[in-house]
Amino acid sequence: MSTTKRFDIKKVAIIGGGPGGLSTLNELLHTSKDGTSTITKATVNNPLPENPAFEQITVFEQNDHFGGVWNFTKKTDPPFPEGLKQYFDPAGIRTKLETPSFNDLLRTDKQHPIVQDISENKDVIRYFWRHSGLYEKLFTNIPNHLMRFSSGYDVEVPNPDPRSKKYAPFVIHSDVEAYLEEYVKEAKLEKYIRYNTVVDRVFKKDGKWQIVLLQINEKNKTIGWYLEQFDAVVVATGRFNIPFFPKIEGLQDFVNSNPGVVIHAKAFRNEQDRGTEKVLLVGTSVSAVDLLQYLIPKYQEVHLSGNVSKVTNVKETKLEKDANWTDQLIANPNLKVRRHPRIKSFEGDKVTFEDGTSEQGFERIIFATGYHIYYPFLDIPENDGKDYVSVSSGLDGVQNYARTKIDNLYLYTFSYGDPTLAHIGIAHNPLFFLACEANAIAIAGVWSNKHKLPSKEEQRKWIDGRFVGKKSGFQVFNEQNIQYFISELYKFSADGRYNFIPLVEGLDISDAKDKLKKLFARFVEGGLEETSTPDPQTTE
């Protein structure tokens, strides 16, 4: 049984100008009122419809350029949320400004905002966590041909970085950024994007989504508040914004007493900014393994703290059978690191681990501990009890963990509480660009009334079914099961929309995985330089 409600959506807001937001913008622009799509070929040159389904589409991007996590800047977010006691809680470190009253905002628009001096708010704005976490030498670990949209499959990078050839089928991050540049240019998308615009609040009132916006003008040293109303909202803010620091006894005091020592991997750009004696890396994920290649050649001592209570030496035969490739690499006896379990406490300049051992004198402590998924603009009193979306610990039963478990999203796309609120890019998978596009395809088909969503009961059944038997990795897909997920989204596509599923059917990226393992095996032996695996894409 399907829902019977027809949508009357004319104005759409998209929050975020990364790959998810850009693909959604392009998809909605090419959708007609009659529920057909003009994206009929795997090309960026498909025509716009004569009778578009949506009259106004606006992308709000908090930075001065599109690209999201692939928008590399040397400027970084703060290394640690200093002065914020709840450093382990996303709501505690994503600070909020005092918003003008709704009645005052009703009298504003983009041309007539409520203007304030930026100097009065600069200490708060720095904790918006707006900047990308890309490293200077970072390479993808997903084959280049899969990091494309079907609506821009033919877009070519004019001057690819020559270093990318050495690591084919992977490419340096600047090539991904250049692809997005060309995609936006050829699809003529930039005129729909408003830069330096932070979405402060999103709530529904009188049948319309009220969006409170904050325009940051660095040149004039001002911020301007204004309000706009929309019929529907797409959240495309990504997964890598708010850094997670585990709650550890004495960490806040350690940071205060040892300035510049503690950073999150998001603030890491290169290995040239500290001493060369002793470093501690916290975390054993893909991004942590990636950072090791920068640290081992530089530091005399590299220490690694994993999320375990005790470090054990596992036989290599068992590792080959049971462990993923990052575990195998970390356990390699040739890897020049000193392994430790979880950190128990900080005191003075000393770090004590759960097995009772301790070390001191670290010149740098890098937390490669992941990110919270957090929507500060939805986490407001007006949305209490609305079942829009909820986020909890990514490891059931463990509160001291990154918030990554998503609830209340049907197909990780449509809000259970209101289907005119949708999300892009929740599924964590190796086909991220195409999976984002599949989210957008479903949104276009449903919001143009070509298809109807199933009943609330069926939606809840799907949502709850994703959690059965899982304690972690709730939105993690591999290259096999992501194909099924994309197919489910395609059932809601607009008529005539080019079907890219044949491009990924029977997909086998084992060769790419083998290449990645070989590159890192060479690194372990000390013979590899400038190879990097980005947090945004994983082949795990």
Side-chain angles (χ1 to χ4, degrees), residues 289 293 325 329 516-524 533:
V289 169
Q293 67 188 304
W325 68 272
L329 186 144
L516 192 67
K517 292 176 185 178
K518 288 176 182 177
L519 288 174
F520 275 88
R522 287 168 52 200
F523 149 65
V524 169
T533 307

Side-chain angles (χ1 to χ4, degrees), residues 162-365:
R163 291 175 294 172
S164 293
K165 292 182 179 180
K166 184 176 180 180
Y167 303 107
F170 315 116
V171 294
I172 196 170
H173 68 78
S174 59
D175 286 341
V176 181
E177 187 174 6
Y179 170 78
L180 292 175
E181 290 277 353
E182 288 299 306
Y183 178 76
V184 168
K185 178 182 176 182
E186 295 191 33
K188 299 179 177 61
L189 300 180
E190 194 159 16
K191 62 184 177 182
Y192 301 95
I193 305 174
R194 290 189 204 169
Y195 294 115
N196 297 309
T197 304
V198 175
V199 175
D200 181 67
R201 302 166 79 83
V202 175
F203 60 95
K204 206 162 193 180
K205 183 179 176 64
D206 299 328
K208 297 286 185 179
W209 287 103
Q210 314 292 323
I211 301 188
V212 180
L213 299 155
L214 179 63
Q215 186 81 31
I216 300 176
N217 191 322
E218 298 277 5
K219 183 178 180 180
N220 295 335
K221 305 298 181 184
T222 61
I223 57 174
W225 299 90
Y226 64 99
L227 176 74
E228 283 200 32
Q229 298 178 337
F230 291 85
D231 302 310
V233 179
V234 179
V235 179
T237 52
R239 303 173 55 93
F240 305 101
N241 297 311
I242 313 294
F244 167 62
F245 289 91
K247 184 179 181 181
I248 303 174
E249 180 184 346
L251 176 55
Q252 184 74 69
D253 291 337
F254 181 92
V255 171
N256 295 337
S257 302
N258 300 272
V261 172
V262 174
I263 71 169
H264 192 275
K266 190 181 186 189
F268 181 88
R269 288 296 181 267
N270 57 58
E271 68 279 18
Q272 305 299 326
D273 59 348
R274 296 295 286 185
T276 60
E277 292 186 9
K278 196 171 183 179
V279 64
L280 172 62
L281 181 62
V282 184
T284 56
S285 66
V286 175
S287 59
V289 169
D290 180 45
L291 282 172
L292 284 176
Q293 67 188 304
Y294 300 103
L295 305 178
I296 289 176
K298 180 184 178 183
Y299 286 88
Q300 295 177 31
E301 289 187 28
V302 177
H303 295 249
L304 182 66
S305 171
N307 190 24
V308 293
S309 59
K310 181 182 179 182
V311 174
T312 58
N313 293 317
V314 184
K315 292 183 179 180
E316 189 173 350
T317 52
K318 186 176 181 181
L319 277 175
E320 288 292 338
K321 180 179 179 181
D322 298 331
N324 62 39
W325 68 272
T326 55
D327 292 332
Q328 295 173 34
L329 186 144
I330 290 171
N332 190 313
N334 295 318
L335 189 66
K336 299 173 183 178
V337 300
R338 293 178 59 181
R339 297 170 61 201
H340 302 277
R342 281 186 294 266
I343 299 172
K344 180 181 180 181
S345 63
F346 291 86
E347 184 178 1
D349 74 337
K350 183 174 69 174
V351 181
T352 300
F353 302 95
E354 287 196 357
D355 61 359
T357 62
S358 62
E359 294 283 343
Q360 59 192 102
F362 289 111
E363 295 172 289
R364 175 71 88 194
I365 298 176

Side-chain angles (χ1 to χ4, degrees), residues 239 427-429 466 470 473-478 481 538 540:
R239 303 173 55 93
H428 195 51
N429 69 96
R466 284 295 302 158
K470 282 193 173 186
F474 299 101
Q475 292 94 230
V476 176
F477 293 80
N478 60 30
N481 54 30
T538 74
E540 290 184 293

Side-chain angles (χ1 to χ4, degrees), residues 418-434:
D418 191 321
T420 61
L421 176 65
H423 285 250
I424 297 289
I426 297 297
H428 195 51
N429 69 96
L431 304 182
F432 185 76
F433 276 44
L434 292 172

